[in-house]
Amino acid sequence: MKKFLVVFFVVALTISLCACTPQTSGSGPSTAPEGTQNNSLIRVGFAQCKADESDWRKANTKSVQDALSRENGFDLILADSNNDAAKQVSDVQGFIDQEVDYIIIAAVNEDGWDTVLGNAQKAGIPVILMDRTINASEDLYTCWLGGGFYDEGVKATDWMAKRFANGKQANIVHLQGQLGASAQVGRTQALEDAIGANSNWKLLAQQTGEWSTDTAKEIMASWIQQYGAEINCVYAENDNMADGAIQALEEAGMTAGGDEGVAIISFDANRAYLQMTLEGKINCNVECNPLLGPGVAAIIKKIESGGQPNKKESVEETAFYYDTITQEIIDARPY
Ligand code: GYE
């Protein structure tokens, strides 16, 4: 009888412990795959800006979830800050309180990280910055993996210099990303530097479109009301906003892109917008690779095996142009 009671107690205790295992939002079931124990999985907290905010962000989120799967030895916990910088900082503090093994951050805003990253450091939790950079001491994070936003902007302004060569007047409207995001800061700085260096370039208007197609369309419609045919260049800091601007131009009966239309600059080079580049609606689309999951997984595995990643791991990036891109190039791309 006593043996039965002991067995019954152990079984009951096991069932109650499984019931309180925190649900992870990574891919795969909430129980460890065959042959492994939950405690052999590397627990990673992923503080994402806003998982479905743009085509780029959706591809980025999926890339991390696919690479840091349970099958690959990870227990991924995704926190979506809904592009709220203060919430994202508290999401990171939550990961520290949960005693995760690693923290990944795609920072909504460059600023506000010193305290919480100091807490992660005290807790001995390595922090990997992915995509966005931040204004904090490099001692507070292990490494950064992402694209070069200022250099992306230079690729775009180099194309603009050819479009508006021989003193041709450029009258530019500028749709910025969410203010304070390092992608916005870098791409904006490149444009502002180029405007300062070209006396025939004029900035008619500048405003954040919050990375959003609808917001950018509304802003562009008001600029068309105000400036009309004077506008001959749109510098949109991501594909979704470039699409919104094109919709507004076409609804106003104006031509977007091509040799003679309003020149359209975009960033991200998501497949759907490379198709628009091939159609000539986007003139210059600068790549920013969202598929950073495998790189992050490799960095964590390197650390797990005693290695030390480089402080900065940037990814190769290129640009696509309406008069040279082909369907074959688009078909060969992974996103
Ligand atoms: O350009 C935009 C997303 O940080 C590079 O964030 C990323 C940017 C990307 O919202 O679409």
Side-chain angles (χ1 to χ4, degrees):
M1 184 59 176
K2 191 181 272 184
K3 190 181 285 185
F4 169 77
L5 286 175
V6 168
V7 169
F8 175 79
F9 174 74
V10 168
V11 169
L13 179 64
T14 304
I15 291 167
S16 65
L17 280 176
C18 286
C20 66
T21 301
Q23 289 302 312
T24 59
S25 55
S27 52
S30 60
T31 51
E34 201 59 35
T36 63
Q37 294 303 319
N38 256 331
N39 59 17
S40 73
L41 292 175
I42 303 168
R43 291 188 73 222
V44 180
F46 174 23
Q48 179 58 290
C49 303
K50 185 175 190 291
D52 64 353
E53 148 238 75
S54 58
D55 295 62
W56 192 98
R57 193 60 56 192
K58 289 174 194 166
N60 175 249
T61 302
K62 185 176 185 305
S63 172
V64 172
Q65 288 175 324
D66 291 350
L68 278 73
S69 66
R70 303 182 83 83
E71 293 71 28
N72 292 341
F74 295 94
D75 176 11
L76 182 71
I77 308 162
L78 170 66
D80 186 327
S81 75
N82 199 33
N83 272 344
D84 176 330
K87 180 184 180 302
Q88 189 173 52
V89 169
S90 66
D91 287 343
V92 171
Q93 186 56 53
F95 291 142
I96 296 167
D97 298 343
Q98 291 177 62
E99 298 180 346
V100 297
D101 300 310
Y102 293 85
I103 293 172
I104 306 169
I105 303 173
V108 172
N109 195 295
E110 289 185 310
D111 299 317
W113 290 103
D114 288 348
T115 302
V116 73
L117 293 189
N119 296 341
Q121 195 170 62
K122 288 183 200 118
I125 301 174
V127 171
I128 296 164
L129 302 183
M130 176 197 66
D131 168 27
R132 304 280 183 74
T133 53
I134 64 175
N135 292 329
S137 163
E138 288 191 356
D139 299 337
L140 289 174
Y141 56 89
T142 301
C143 66
W144 165 81
L145 168 70
F149 304 125
Y150 184 86
D151 292 344
E152 292 168 5
V154 170
K155 286 187 175 73
T157 56
D158 285 350
W159 180 84
M160 290 166 67
K162 296 187 187 111
R163 176 77 165 206
F164 299 103
N166 308 318
K168 183 182 173 191
Q169 182 63 28
N171 295 319
I172 305 157
V173 290
H174 179 194
L175 288 162
Q176 297 175 286
Q178 184 175 359
L179 298 182
S182 58
Q184 173 271 313
V185 172
R187 292 168 186 166
T188 291
Q189 191 60 58
L191 176 64
E192 291 178 347
D193 289 352
I195 288 170
N198 291 280
S199 57
N200 58 315
W201 293 19
K202 180 182 175 189
L203 182 63
L204 294 178
Q206 180 182 65
Q207 190 175 337
T208 178
E210 304 289 353
W211 306 120
S212 152
T213 301
D214 293 344
T215 307
K217 182 177 178 180
E218 277 172 39
I219 294 168
M220 189 68 201
S222 69
W223 287 342
I224 291 169
Q225 289 287 331
Q226 194 173 353
Y227 301 102
E230 190 184 356
I231 300 169
N232 63 9
C233 185
V234 177
Y235 185 97
E237 293 184 353
N238 85 336
D239 281 333
N240 299 73
M241 295 191 292
D243 188 15
I246 291 165
Q247 290 178 34
L249 285 164
E250 293 181 339
E251 285 178 14
M254 295 170 74
T255 304
D259 294 332
E260 306 300 329
V262 175
I264 307 291
I265 312 293
S266 185
F267 294 85
D268 288 350
N270 293 288
R271 184 189 306 282
Y273 305 92
L274 287 181
Q275 226 40 75
M276 290 171 71
T277 306
L278 181 63
E279 292 161 16
K281 291 193 175 185
I282 293 175
N283 293 90
C284 168
N285 200 330
V286 181
E287 179 185 38
C288 181
N289 191 338
L291 307 183
L292 300 172
V296 171
I299 286 167
I300 292 175
K301 295 281 177 123
K302 184 173 191 177
I303 296 170
E304 284 290 293
S305 59
Q308 182 64 33
N310 299 326
K311 186 57 88 172
K312 293 185 190 305
E313 301 266 2
S314 59
V315 289
E316 282 300 309
E317 296 173 323
T318 184
F320 303 91
Y321 309 97
Y322 75 111
D323 51 355
T324 56
I325 192 169
T326 65
Q327 192 63 54
E328 291 71 29
I329 290 171
I330 297 172
D331 293 347
R333 290 188 51 77
Y335 70 95

